[in-house]
Amino acid sequence: MSGARRSPWLTSDVADLHDLARGFFAAEVPARRPRWEEQQGVEREFWTKAAGLGLLCASIPEEYGGGGGTFLHHAAVQQAYSATGDRSWGNSVHSGIVAHYILDYGTEEQKRRWLPRMATGEMVTAIAMTEPSAGSDLKAIRTRAVKDGDAWVITGTKMFITNGGSADLVVVACVTDPDAGSRGISLIVVETGDCPGFRRGRILDKIGQHGADTAELSFDGVRVPAGNLLGPEGGGFGMMMSQLRQERLIIGITAVAATERALDLTVSYTKEREAFGQPLIAMQNTRFTLAECATKTRVARVFLDDCIMAHIDGELDLAAAAMCKWWLTDVQCEVIDACVQFFGGYGYMREYPIAQLYADARVQKVYGGANEIQKELIARSL
């Protein structure tokens, strides 16, 4: 990326992994993206091909089939992929979120049963929190899980689930004790193959991110073994709050990479496109606006890098993660909107990468906890 600041954490084997991933994604993603958008999902062959290069579960220990790295390794893969501008592939949820729920809260048997298959791409995963009437307010979920002998019986509906249409394993947030408030929420793992009562709705037709497999999931008396409880019964809300810091950081990585790509595309375009006998970039309004965009983008990158290093050091608190998520996604939308303007009518054509970036960006301010919720979390820390 021209003029982009190279992150100080991209060194040694992390940099090597980033370069490997960047080369793979540059070669594979642009050609595949039209098919992904047409079929509304990424084929399993891409998952396994990426797995063969060590791009899945890069931050999971080798003893469980992962790459043996730290969060920096996952961040390197995420940044390399996000720099393509594509938002179809759900590895951020699979490797960056679900794998860490299992690693951090799973029993030894659960980790050895699921993580190796996740690392090879044999098993694609999802996490089901959001419901038709419960989004950022996770305490309002209604999906119930009732203990019946040696099984949990799950009933409810989940909405907007990334990888939902293809997931082989779903971590489901359920109410196991309706009288205990947030302490009555548990996480239960559902393996979707040969699972009576489990149904996938249609792949949802979104404004952007057309290649992303996002679906509604229904659980109608789904029975799963009691041993599929993840972590302690009633501990689900606390686990989600803890893991949301990493989820929001991953959203920040995506936001900054997309912002940098938009700026790059726009600088190149304004140097080539002429109006009134001169390149657009020769005009003062263009130069001033791009200067503002470049400054916001650079500040966003520096702030993101600081948050990443704080996370590695165990110092990224809830408020800082909230700042990362809301501010970086706001900057993403602001910069991309300004960039679209320079493309004129072409900027509104989906065949142009800048239009795809524009359509894909808006939901970043919604998922992972709406940005208004992030501001509330920050205010509580003051």
Side-chain angles (χ1 to χ4, degrees):
M1 292 168 287
S2 61
R5 175 182 187 266
R6 185 172 177 83
S7 298
W9 50 267
L10 274 178
T11 60
S12 188
D13 61 327
V14 176
D16 293 340
L17 180 62
H18 178 266
D19 292 344
L20 173 68
R22 183 175 57 183
F24 171 72
F25 294 134
E28 297 283 342
V29 170
R32 292 176 184 262
R33 180 169 183 168
R35 182 167 70 251
W36 291 346
E37 294 193 349
E38 181 179 354
Q39 67 195 17
Q40 295 181 298
V42 173
E43 64 274 6
R44 191 60 60 98
E45 181 263 340
F46 180 81
W47 284 90
T48 55
K49 194 168 185 177
L53 295 176
L55 305 183
L56 303 188
C57 299
S59 54
I60 298 301
E62 291 180 351
E63 64 185 297
Y64 302 120
T70 68
F71 177 76
L72 293 182
H73 294 82
H74 175 75
V77 174
Q78 184 68 28
Q79 182 163 299
Y81 169 65
S82 299
T84 68
D86 184 62
R87 291 292 297 125
S88 304
W89 192 39
N91 185 53
S92 59
V93 169
H94 176 82
S95 295
I97 299 173
V98 177
H100 284 271
Y101 270 91
I102 295 171
L103 178 67
D104 292 348
Y105 308 117
T107 65
E108 189 67 18
E109 187 275 334
Q110 288 173 334
K111 287 185 277 192
R112 294 193 180 278
R113 185 181 3 151
W114 294 319
L115 288 173
R117 286 187 286 165
M118 291 175 62
T120 62
E122 175 190 347
M123 177 176 276
V124 170
T125 62
I127 185 163
M129 299 182 192
T130 302
E131 298 183 359
S133 59
S136 296
D137 183 8
L138 291 175
K139 295 178 183 178
I141 65 172
R142 298 178 181 176
T143 297
R144 285 293 313 276
V146 178
K147 193 75 172 292
D148 182 19
D150 61 353
W152 289 100
V153 180
I154 304 173
T155 301
T157 301
K158 295 293 183 178
M159 195 66 167
F160 309 128
I161 306 305
T162 299
N163 297 336
S166 58
D168 307 289
L169 178 152
V170 183
V171 177
V172 184
C174 309
V175 176
T176 50
D177 184 350
D179 298 321
S182 63
R183 295 185 180 181
I185 298 174
S186 302
L187 301 181
I188 300 175
V189 178
V190 175
E191 295 183 73
T192 62
D194 189 23
C195 185
F198 171 76
R199 295 191 305 277
R200 307 178 200 266
R202 64 185 174 88
I203 304 300
L204 299 170
D205 186 17
K206 306 179 294 297
I207 290 175
Q209 302 189 11
H210 297 127
D213 165 10
T214 311
E216 180 180 7
L217 304 180
S218 296
F219 305 83
D220 184 8
V222 172
R223 296 182 66 88
V224 298
N228 280 26
L229 178 70
L230 189 65
E233 183 176 344
F237 187 79
M239 290 187 283
M240 289 188 290
M241 290 300 99
S242 178
Q243 292 293 323
L244 276 170
R245 287 176 296 180
Q246 181 158 305
E247 179 178 347
R248 289 163 181 163
L249 183 55
I250 291 170
I251 292 172
I253 293 171
T254 302
V256 173
T259 307
E260 290 172 340
R261 177 165 173 76
L263 180 61
D264 243 12
L265 289 169
T266 307
V267 169
S268 296
Y269 184 79
T270 56
K271 288 179 178 179
E272 297 168 0
R273 177 76 172 183
E274 291 194 357
F276 305 103
Q278 60 181 330
L280 285 178
I281 202 166
M283 300 178 178
Q284 187 180 68
N285 176 70
T286 302
R287 297 168 69 84
F288 280 14
T289 301
L290 289 178
E292 293 171 4
C293 289
T295 303
K296 291 177 182 177
T297 302
R298 176 64 67 90
V299 173
R301 166 60 63 188
V302 173
F303 178 47
L304 173 64
D305 289 340
D306 181 70
C307 289
I308 289 174
M309 293 312 301
H311 186 52
I312 288 295
D313 294 337
E315 297 176 356
L316 184 70
D317 60 25
L318 194 63
M323 293 176 186
C324 175
K325 194 272 177 183
W326 90 257
W327 192 77
L328 295 180
T329 57
D330 263 25
V331 168
Q332 175 187 8
C333 289
E334 288 173 11
V335 170
I336 293 176
D337 182 73
C339 288
V340 165
Q341 191 72 14
F342 290 116
F343 287 78
Y346 296 109
Y348 205 63
M349 301 297 104
R350 284 194 58 233
E351 64 191 83
Y352 273 67
I354 193 67
Q356 296 164 3
L357 286 165
Y358 180 82
D360 291 348
R362 184 58 181 84
V363 75
Q364 289 262 103
K365 299 201 290 186
V366 176
Y367 54 41
N371 282 4
E372 291 76 12
I373 300 298
Q374 307 311 309
K375 294 175 185 179
E376 178 63 26
L377 292 173
I378 296 163
R380 291 176 186 175
S381 72
L382 300 179

